[in-house]
């Protein structure tokens, strides 16, 4: 890399001004051009899959090993035009002292400071060449470019011919050696940028592919430093938040597991009761439905048993017992659902208990439906439901 005193050799229109022509800092609308030979594009052979800062670190190592360039004396920035921003394979490299002098000369108001070859119109599959003041400037498609003396330029063009484009656009008369090299290839020579459409090629554009992103005044590490300053203060709170979220999720999972285990225990307990009481054999598929069916069967059997006992037999058996216990029978009626129902008057509640016991000893089941004390007569009024004790019958 040479010093920055030599003049850039390419100037396309009034948007551009050469760094050597500045007598004061460049105005706002201008793009300042510096010698491309002092800020070349260097191709790199990088492993696949590297991204972000890891790719940049490997690039620095490759530059140091192959070219002897170190971050202390050279600034480099990934050049990703025509490639993915994460899989770039070229870098713009420039001497640190040159960049400092360019920044001071150009100032902060201008649009950008660029290598002169980035001012050439560019398109995919087209080489753009310009020769002035003994320097050949070239833009080789979108991904590459250079500015150098003709002898060195011939070597660079021959190397690039391994991936020859479809056309070449000479902006100026070219050196004979360069013209001869082009004539030996299959490239179409375009008369102008608009001539590309006649050959179904994209029209080369000046600064039409994001070239101003590679402003040499910008520190390529400054954006990353700002990102670290902005992001790192949030790193620990974010980490604590993630840990808290993980703990909360774990607690919810444990609580849900406890609920699932409790539900499983309740189901097993319900299955045990169902098996013991209602469904002694066979599969249990639906606890609710099978329990209701078993209860219905029990009720049907009880009702059938009651129907087997004659109401007159129950009446005769009950009259014999109630008369012996000193109770007074007010009413006796038969109900298909409840059986024989008797309304009685007794001296006290103890007499009622004795009557129920005596009926049981006589083979009847007496259920006290209602009992109360008559406030006027001081007698106990009771209603008993009487059914035949089927166990006693058996």
């Amino acid at each position: 890399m040479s010093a920055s005193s030599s003049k850039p050799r390419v100037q396309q229109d009034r948007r551009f001004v050469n760094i050597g022509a500045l007598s004061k800092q460049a105005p706002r609308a201008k793009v300042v051009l510096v010698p491309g030979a002092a800020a070349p594009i260097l191709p790199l052979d990088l492993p696949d899959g590297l991204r972000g800062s890891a790719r940049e670190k490997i690039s620095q190592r490759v530059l140091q090993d192959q070219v002897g360039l170190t971050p202390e004396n050279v600034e480099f920035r990934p050049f990703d035009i025509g490639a993915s921003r994460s899989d770039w394979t070229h870098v713009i490299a420039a001497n640190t002292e040159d960049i400092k002098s360019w920044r001071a000369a150009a100032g902060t108001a201008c649009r950008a400071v660029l290598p002169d070859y980035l001012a050439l119109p560019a398109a995919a599959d087209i080489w753009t060449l310009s020769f002035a003041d003994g320097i050949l400037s070239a833009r080789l498609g979108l991904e590459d470019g250079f500015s150098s003396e003709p002898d060195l330029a011939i070597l660079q063009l021959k190397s690039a011919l391994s991936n020859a484009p479809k056309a070449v656009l000479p902006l100026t008369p070219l050196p004979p050696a360069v013209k001869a090299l082009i004539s030996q290839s299959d490239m179409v020579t375009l008369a102008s940028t608009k001539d590309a459409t006649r050959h179904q090629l994209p029209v080369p554009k000046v600064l039409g592919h994001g070239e101003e992103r590679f402003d040499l005044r910008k520190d390529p590490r400054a954006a990353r430093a700002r990102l670290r300053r902005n992001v790192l203060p949030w790193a620990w709170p974010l980490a604590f938040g993630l840990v808290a979220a993980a703990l909360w999720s774990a607690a919810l999972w444990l609580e849900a597991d406890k609920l699932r285990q409790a539900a499983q225990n309740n189901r097993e307990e319900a299955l045990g009761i169902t098996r013991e009481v209602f469904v002694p054999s066979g599969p249990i598929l639906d606890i609710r439905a099978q329990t209701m069916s078993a209860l219905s069967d029990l009720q049907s059997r009880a009702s059938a048993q009651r129907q087997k006992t004659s109401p007159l037999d129950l009446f005769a058996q009950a009259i014999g017992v109630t008369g012996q216990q000193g109770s007074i029978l007010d009413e006796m009626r038969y109900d298909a659902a409840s059986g024989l129902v008797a309304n009685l008057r007794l001296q006290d509640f103890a007499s009622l208990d004795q009557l129920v016991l005596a009926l049981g000893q006589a083979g009847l089941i007496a259920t006290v439906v209602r009992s109360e004390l008559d406030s006027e007569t001081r007698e106990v009024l009771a209603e008993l439901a009487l059914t035949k004790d089927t166990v006693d019958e058996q």
Side-chain angles (χ1 to χ4, degrees):
M1 296 181 198
S2 62
S4 59
S5 58
S6 60
K7 295 182 180 180
R9 305 301 172 180
V10 178
Q11 184 170 349
Q12 297 297 320
D13 55 39
R14 293 183 179 180
R15 287 177 290 179
F16 302 103
V17 59
N18 293 329
I19 190 81
L22 290 176
S23 57
K24 59 180 180 179
Q25 292 187 344
R28 182 179 301 275
K30 297 292 185 178
V31 174
V32 178
L33 301 181
V34 300
I41 294 178
L42 302 178
L44 300 176
D45 185 12
L46 299 175
D48 294 334
L50 289 176
R51 297 292 186 274
S53 60
R55 195 172 187 85
E56 294 186 15
K57 290 179 180 178
I58 296 299
S59 300
Q60 290 179 350
R61 183 62 181 270
V62 171
L63 287 171
Q64 185 171 350
D65 293 344
Q66 296 182 356
V67 192
L69 303 178
T70 62
E72 289 74 21
N73 56 27
V74 172
E75 284 188 14
F76 82 93
R77 60 208 70 220
F79 186 74
D80 54 25
I81 294 179
S84 167
R85 291 200 176 186
S86 58
D87 292 328
W88 44 267
T89 56
H90 293 69
V91 296
I92 296 178
N95 185 280
T96 303
E97 295 302 321
D98 285 347
I99 291 179
K100 288 181 180 179
S101 66
W102 294 336
R103 289 172 181 163
T108 58
C110 63
R111 287 170 54 182
V113 175
L114 300 177
D116 53 19
Y117 51 79
L118 291 185
L120 296 174
D125 289 324
I126 296 177
W127 284 2
T128 303
L129 305 178
S130 176
F131 181 68
D133 298 333
I135 297 295
L136 181 73
S137 295
R139 186 72 185 274
L140 309 181
L142 297 177
E143 296 184 1
D144 203 357
F146 66 85
S147 291
S148 63
E149 296 178 353
D151 292 342
L152 180 59
I154 289 293
L155 296 177
Q156 291 174 285
L157 291 176
K158 285 182 178 180
S159 176
L161 277 176
S162 59
N163 187 22
K166 296 179 180 179
V168 60
L169 172 63
L171 300 179
T172 63
L174 300 177
V178 175
K179 292 174 63 176
L181 180 66
I182 293 174
S183 64
Q184 295 171 8
S185 69
D186 295 331
M187 290 185 290
V188 174
T189 300
L190 303 179
S192 65
T193 56
K194 295 181 180 180
D195 194 30
T197 57
R198 187 167 59 90
H199 299 278
Q200 287 84 43
L201 293 173
V203 176
K205 296 179 181 179
V206 177
L207 301 182
H209 308 283
E211 284 83 356
E212 292 182 53
R213 290 190 288 113
F214 305 99
D215 187 351
L216 295 176
R217 292 174 303 172
K218 297 178 181 178
D219 184 352
R221 294 161 294 189
R224 294 190 295 276
R226 284 195 302 270
L227 181 63
R228 285 194 294 270
R229 288 196 300 270
N230 293 335
V231 172
L232 285 180
W234 294 94
W236 283 111
L238 179 60
F240 285 129
L242 292 174
V243 171
L247 293 175
W248 178 71
S249 300
L252 285 181
W253 184 87
L254 291 174
E255 189 65 25
D257 187 63
K258 289 180 181 178
L259 291 175
R260 286 193 296 269
Q261 188 62 41
Q264 181 64 25
N265 293 338
N266 291 339
R267 176 172 175 78
E268 291 176 357
E269 184 177 354
L271 283 171
I273 295 174
T274 303
R275 175 65 71 191
E276 181 180 353
V277 178
F278 299 106
V279 187
S281 62
I284 300 177
L285 304 177
D286 189 327
I287 294 177
R288 182 188 297 272
Q290 290 177 269
T291 300
M292 295 299 295
S293 177
L295 287 174
S296 178
D297 290 343
L298 289 174
Q299 290 175 350
S300 298
R301 287 197 294 270
S303 177
Q305 186 63 40
R306 284 196 298 269
Q307 291 175 2
K308 290 178 182 179
T309 305
S310 170
L312 293 177
D313 292 340
L314 285 174
F315 177 77
Q317 194 172 359
I319 284 294
V321 177
T322 56
Q324 294 175 4
Q325 295 298 319
S327 60
I328 300 174
L329 180 62
D330 288 339
E331 180 185 8
M332 185 79 76
R333 68 182 186 276
Y334 182 79
D335 184 271
S338 303
L340 194 64
V341 179
N343 291 329
L344 305 160
R345 283 182 288 149
L346 302 100
Q347 293 180 354
D348 50 35
F349 287 102
S351 299
L352 176 59
D353 293 338
Q354 293 175 1
L355 176 60
V356 171
L357 181 61
L359 288 169
Q361 292 174 350
L364 297 176
I365 297 176
T367 304
V368 179
V369 179
R370 177 178 57 85
S371 64
E372 60 184 9
L373 182 64
D374 192 324
S375 60
E376 295 181 357
T377 64
R378 309 304 297 175
E379 294 178 323
V380 173
L381 305 179
E383 181 178 319
L384 303 180
L386 304 174
T387 58
K388 189 68 174 177
D389 190 344
T390 57
V391 175
D392 183 67
E393 272 189 350
Q394 295 172 355

